[in-house]
Amino acid sequence: ERSNLAGVRHILLVLSGKGGVGKSTISTELALSLRHSGKKVGILDVDLCGPSIPRMFRVQDNDVHQCDSGWVPVFVDQDKSISLMSIGFLLEKPDDAVVWRGPKKNALIKQFVADVAWGDLDFLIVDTPPGTSDEHISTVEALRPYKPLGAILVTTPQAVSVGDVRRELTFCKKTGLRVLGIVENMSGFVCPHCSECTNIFSKGGGEELAKHAGVPFLGSVPLDPQLSQSLEEGRDFIQEFPKSSAFPALTHIAQQILDGTLQQSS
């Protein structure tokens, strides 16, 4: 029997030991950047208690439908170039809290991996909750037969965040998940008026961690009001704000992922 992931070429996980560092932001902008490179992308949102991906694409009111091979993901555009699956589509009300114990969460994650009819995708990006426990182990175990490409780790520059992401590196090592690289998010604030960069949360922690761990440093993404606004309103930041200070950083991260997959297949 053909698996629902048989048509997916590359699976990426976006991880961080810490909450609030912007995993969903990086997942969203990576998907948009890859889409603008002509790729078909899916996002599987396994953050069951804080599903924000549907809102970031402005499709939070959409419903999930069934087909012969399982759930049909929600498509963001008419071209069906980005598709999404999230518990956010399954809640009766958007403000409903998911008050579940581990086994129920794990069962839904396994169902998400097995029962979503993704069709043919170049990339499936898995947006995860913070931490290194139940949901993460379930996700990695469920995806293992499909040989994920690896994980992108997201941190902010402060030492407390970098310390939590160091634990995520240990998690990847223990579970045999390759680390594709580290992204430092919220790395300075570029003033929209004078273009001066202020390092609100210090700087360079992610790059230092990558050097120390011997993994690639994919780039620093500055705080940018235009990026926040586009995520709030479900707009395509990559298309609408090419002059933003965050634009080159985000497109550079996507390009490194594309380059890495080309090298792997050659």
Side-chain angles (χ1 to χ4, degrees), residues 79-266:
D79 298 338
K80 299 187 175 179
S81 58
I82 296 184
S83 49
L84 314 174
M85 177 51 75
S86 168
I87 195 173
F89 299 127
L90 307 176
L91 300 174
E92 278 188 34
K93 297 179 192 150
D95 296 334
D96 282 355
V98 177
V99 188
W100 291 358
R101 291 189 186 276
K104 196 169 178 187
K105 287 181 178 178
N106 299 343
L108 182 63
I109 287 169
K110 285 175 186 163
Q111 199 175 353
F112 272 169
V113 169
D115 293 347
V116 179
W118 294 106
D120 292 329
L121 291 180
D122 295 298
F123 289 93
L124 177 64
I125 298 167
V126 183
D127 183 33
T128 65
T132 55
S133 58
D134 260 14
E135 289 105 310
H136 306 80
I137 297 163
S138 291
T139 304
V140 172
E141 288 302 318
L143 290 170
R144 198 183 297 285
Y146 309 101
K147 298 185 172 60
L149 189 64
I152 295 169
L153 307 190
V154 183
T155 185
T156 51
Q158 319 93 301
V160 68
S161 175
V162 170
D164 286 344
V165 177
R166 195 175 275 118
R167 293 185 194 102
E168 201 72 48
L169 280 163
T170 313
F171 169 82
C172 291
K173 202 171 180 180
K174 283 185 173 174
T175 55
L177 192 58
R178 179 175 160 226
V179 177
L180 300 173
I182 292 175
V183 172
E184 184 177 290
N185 195 24
M186 308 182 201
S187 181
F189 169 72
V190 180
C191 173
H193 305 295
C194 69
S195 300
E196 184 179 331
C197 182
T198 306
N199 295 320
I200 298 170
F201 298 127
S202 77
K203 189 171 171 61
E207 191 166 6
E208 197 58 42
L209 176 61
K211 205 180 291 177
H212 177 74
V215 300
F217 180 66
L218 298 176
S220 304
V221 181
L223 282 163
D224 186 333
Q226 290 178 323
L227 177 56
S228 307
Q229 181 193 348
S230 67
L231 290 163
E232 286 287 325
E233 297 171 3
R235 292 159 68 187
D236 185 338
F237 172 81
I238 300 298
Q239 186 173 354
E240 293 186 38
F241 299 104
K243 292 184 177 163
S244 145
S245 55
F247 178 87
L250 291 164
T251 50
H252 179 61
I253 291 163
Q255 191 56 52
Q256 287 178 90
I257 299 298
L258 285 168
D259 293 345
T261 56
L262 281 173
Q263 284 169 10
Q264 198 185 48
S265 56
S266 61

Side-chain angles (χ1 to χ4, degrees), residues 37-71:
S37 300
K39 305 299 179 188
K40 281 190 81 171
V41 188
I43 302 183
L44 174 56
D45 181 5
V46 295
D47 190 348
L48 304 183
C49 295
S52 46
I53 291 289
R55 174 159 184 184
M56 288 178 169
F57 285 93
R58 213 173 174 177
V59 289
Q60 64 268 40
D61 297 327
N62 289 39
D63 294 320
V64 168
H65 301 287
Q66 291 274 353
C67 69
D68 290 345
S69 47
W71 283 326

